[in-house]
Amino acid sequence: MKHLKFLFFLIFTLTFAGVTTVVAQTNIPDTAVVKGKVRFGVKLGGQISGVSNIHGGSSKRFPGLTAGVALQIPIPDEETNRFYIVPELIYSQEGEKSRTNENKSIKFYNDYLSLPIMMRAYTLDNNLFFIEIGPKVSYLIHQKNKGLELTEARKYDVGLCIGGGVNIAGEHKLELGARLNWGLVDIYPDMEGKSKNIGGAISLSYFFGKNN
């Protein structure tokens, strides 16, 4: 049942993103500027992550890998192409680590397949910087507990992402970004207290093709 709820939410999110994109592309006012094209990209980065209110004395998982693909979908406006929808499909390594009183290593790592859908806005006349915000849904694909008996993590997570970045080369082509992620779901429901994923990531993105 939990898996069905997650699948329903995932389908709803993808459908919402698709409908929003179609509406943005078809209902274009006469004065709108439509220079951008939908482009495919790849991204790679690292992150530091943890779980709130559950593991006393533990440290963050660092570095954790983030890698995946993205689409850059322009939203027409009346002045210039500054607004985009950016859906991503990301492999994300999250969790924490610690040591016992005997100095033995303890690891509680959760690896997710995540789907952030970001609303992105470029700033300044040269579109050098951008800010972004959006929801994220994640599905747990691997859990590793070493040296510690820990309850099984929930199979899904829903969160909020806020970030920004800088355009390094080309027009929205090679970009360096930073992002904060807040989980909204109690991922260890059998444990005392609310345990939610938290983390921050830095990544490099490259989008193929020309923006015009």
Side-chain angles (χ1 to χ4, degrees), residues 90-186:
I90 302 295
Y91 169 70
S92 177
Q93 294 181 336
E94 304 178 27
E96 295 186 6
K97 62 183 179 180
S98 185
R99 289 189 174 274
T100 66
N101 295 332
E102 293 78 22
N103 202 33
K104 292 182 178 180
S105 175
I106 297 176
K107 296 179 180 179
F108 15 90
Y109 288 174
N110 297 325
D111 296 347
Y112 291 92
L113 190 62
S114 298
L115 176 67
I117 300 179
M118 309 301 292
M119 298 294 294
R120 178 175 295 181
Y122 287 85
T123 63
L124 304 180
D125 292 337
N126 58 2
N127 290 339
L128 180 60
F129 300 100
F130 67 85
I131 56 176
E132 59 182 4
I133 185 171
K136 178 181 75 168
V137 293
S138 303
Y139 186 78
L140 181 67
I141 58 176
H142 182 254
Q143 180 179 8
K144 178 181 180 181
N145 295 331
K146 176 183 177 181
L148 181 68
E149 292 295 329
L150 193 64
T151 181
E152 184 176 353
R154 196 185 295 271
K155 287 294 185 181
Y156 69 91
D157 189 21
V158 179
L160 176 67
C161 306
I162 298 177
V166 59
N167 186 45
I168 299 176
E171 186 175 0
H172 311 165
K173 196 172 184 70
L174 180 62
E175 298 176 334
L176 179 65
R179 185 179 296 174
L180 297 177
N181 306 300
W182 288 276
L184 304 177
V185 174
D186 184 3

Side-chain angles (χ1 to χ4, degrees), residues 51-54 185-196:
V51 181
S52 64
N53 301 325
I54 190 169
V185 174
D186 184 3
I187 63 169
Y188 291 114
D190 297 331
M191 302 293 288
E192 183 178 354
K194 298 291 185 180
S195 49
K196 301 178 180 180

